[in-house]
Each structure stands twice: as structure tokens, then as C-alpha cells.
Amino acid sequence: MENPIIEKTIAFAKATLENAEGGHDWFHVERVYKNALLIAKGEDVDTTIIALGALLHDIADSKFYQGDESVGPRMASEFLLRHNVDSAVIEHVLQIIKNISFKGGNKKQAFSSLELDVVQDADRLDALGAIGIARTFNYGGFKNRKIYDPSITPQLDMTPEEYKASTAPTINHFYEKLLLLKDRMNTKTGKRLAQKRHQYMVAFLDQFYAEWEGEV
Ligand code: ADP
Ligand code: NI
């Protein structure tokens, strides 16, 4: 990569996420970055904005900062200002960071751009498939959640506040978020890849319930 600000942003994200939870660490960011550049190939977009948005989107996820949604955008903007990045670029990257998250899916998105569409699809892809399953159980373990409890049913119509406050078993997260994502993808590449990863999760859940009942 010949762009020095991208190199500096990679180093910044790696250092900042050194001790992050396994599903939201540098490797998550690297996968999102690579997927975003892949998806961007099929779209007429600004790849510098996409690279910076992907690399900084989880620099300080509110889940790990007592729900404070201002830390991530603040850290990203301080970093970009320190490196004299153009103010219009900074503004666009901050909008991506602020608007990328799912939050139960009922939150109205306050900003839209093709670049946000691409980074959001890349982040969503990493929530799906085998990696998505691994990340979800890692997060559930990190929060000491149950794997599954048949008596606690998934909640499909949560407000952003309820979604954030949920302590439900990890299997419920598949119904509350992961299985909904394939119909919310923005780009053609994102839709195609999401479909495949979705099928893999459905097969996983079938096998999970069969084993739960001791059928296999
Ligand atoms: P949000 O769902 O708020 O947009 P993220 O996009 O950061 O949050 O979520 C990333 C990943 O973290 C999810 O795809 C999932 O793997 C894991 N995760 C988040 N919330 C939960 C949860 N309640 N239970 C299990 N995993 C979760
Ligand atoms: Ni992410």
C-alpha cells in the first residue's frame, strides 16, 4: 500500500486493539478492511474513505466503553487531525463510524453514502458464516452468557436500548441479528457472499438443535 496515511492507520488500529476482545480485535478489522476493498471493486467509490472507515470503525466500540458512543469517533477524529487529513474526509469517515452498527436493526440510519454501504457490508459479512459463529460465541463467553436456554425466546422487535441491554443466551443473537443480515446487505457482492454465509449458519443451527436433543 503506497498511501502513507493508510499505513499509519493500520499501525494505530493494531496498537489500539492490542488487548481487544477476540471478535473485535485487529484481525476483525483486517478482515473488514480486506472485504471492504474487495466489495469496493464492484462500486464507484472513494477507496481512501473506505479504507479509513474500515480500519477505524471499531477503534473504540461502545460495547467495551460502558455504552459510550462518543469515544470511537473522538479517537478517530483526533488521530486523523493529528495526521492532517482533509476535513471533508474526516467528516465522512466519522459518519461511517457513527452509522455502521446494527443496534437491533430498528435504529434509523442518520447518514448514507456508497462508502458507508460498502464498509457496512464488509462488517456484516464478518458477522456471518463460520467466522460469525466463532465471534458470536467468543463474545457470549466474554460476557459470561449461556450458550442456549430453550426457555428464553429471541426478541425480534427490540429498541436500540433494549438490544444493547440484552443479556440473552448466545443462540438468541442468531435470530436477533445474524439471520436478519442477508436481507439488509447494500451491495451486489455483499448480497452474494452473505447468502452463502447465511446458509452455513442455518446448517449449523440445525445440527446444534439435533445434538441438543441427542438425535445425532
Ligand atoms: P452491533 O450488533 O451492536 O452492531 P457489532 O456489529 O459490533 O455490534 O457486533 C459484532 C459481533 O459481536 C456480532 O456479529 C456478534 O458476533 C458479536 N455480538 C454482539 N452482540 C452480541 C450478543 N448479544 N451476543 C453474542 N454475540 C454478540
Ligand atoms: Ni466491526
Side-chain angles (χ1 to χ4, degrees), residues 10-210:
I10 289 172
F12 175 63
K14 268 188 193 166
T16 306
L17 297 170
E18 183 74 42
N19 298 309
E21 179 265 322
H24 293 82
D25 60 359
W26 160 250
F27 292 114
H28 162 63
V29 169
E30 187 178 44
R31 290 189 301 268
V32 172
Y33 172 56
K34 287 182 175 163
N35 274 334
L37 293 180
L38 185 82
I39 296 169
K41 286 203 169 117
E43 311 290 329
D44 184 14
V45 286
D46 180 330
T47 50
T48 301
I49 304 247
I50 286 178
L52 294 175
L55 291 169
L56 293 169
H57 85 278
D58 270 337
I59 202 70
D61 188 314
S62 63
K63 284 195 280 310
F64 308 110
Y65 288 83
Q66 290 85 39
D68 188 341
E69 289 176 12
S70 67
V71 186
R74 189 162 65 241
M75 277 176 67
S77 108
E78 282 168 8
F79 169 79
L80 295 169
L81 279 170
R82 208 159 52 235
H83 292 285
N84 302 313
V85 173
D86 182 81
S87 62
V89 173
I90 299 183
E91 185 50 35
H92 196 157
V93 171
L94 295 186
Q95 289 293 359
I96 290 176
I97 300 171
K98 288 177 193 166
N99 288 285
I100 193 171
S101 178
F102 178 75
K103 309 241 166 43
N106 285 328
K107 194 176 171 212
K108 184 109 183 59
Q109 201 173 287
F111 173 85
S112 64
S113 73
L114 274 180
E115 287 77 8
L116 169 59
D117 284 352
V118 169
V119 182
Q120 189 172 54
D121 272 12
D123 194 32
R124 286 176 172 174
L125 281 176
D126 209 53
L128 302 179
I131 299 248
I133 294 169
R135 291 180 69 215
T136 302
F137 283 102
N138 196 75
Y139 185 78
F142 178 80
K143 300 290 264 183
N144 198 26
R145 305 259 168 85
K146 287 179 184 163
I147 291 174
Y148 175 49
D149 182 341
S151 73
I152 305 175
T153 51
Q155 301 297 306
L156 282 180
D157 223 10
M158 287 187 279
T159 64
E161 292 70 32
E162 287 167 337
Y163 179 80
K164 267 168 114 171
S166 167
T167 58
T170 299
I171 285 284
N172 292 31
H173 195 64
F174 285 80
Y175 302 93
E176 291 165 358
K177 172 180 173 185
L178 308 183
L179 294 172
L180 308 178
L181 292 178
K182 80 162 176 24
D183 292 329
R184 295 169 183 239
M185 302 301 287
N186 307 305
T187 65
K188 51 187 183 308
T189 308
K191 283 179 188 157
R192 180 171 55 79
L193 295 173
Q195 194 67 40
K196 278 170 65 176
R197 295 184 185 204
H198 180 89
Q199 290 313 325
Y200 189 86
M201 292 192 300
V202 170
F204 166 79
L205 289 169
D206 284 348
Q207 176 75 12
F208 183 94
Y209 297 124

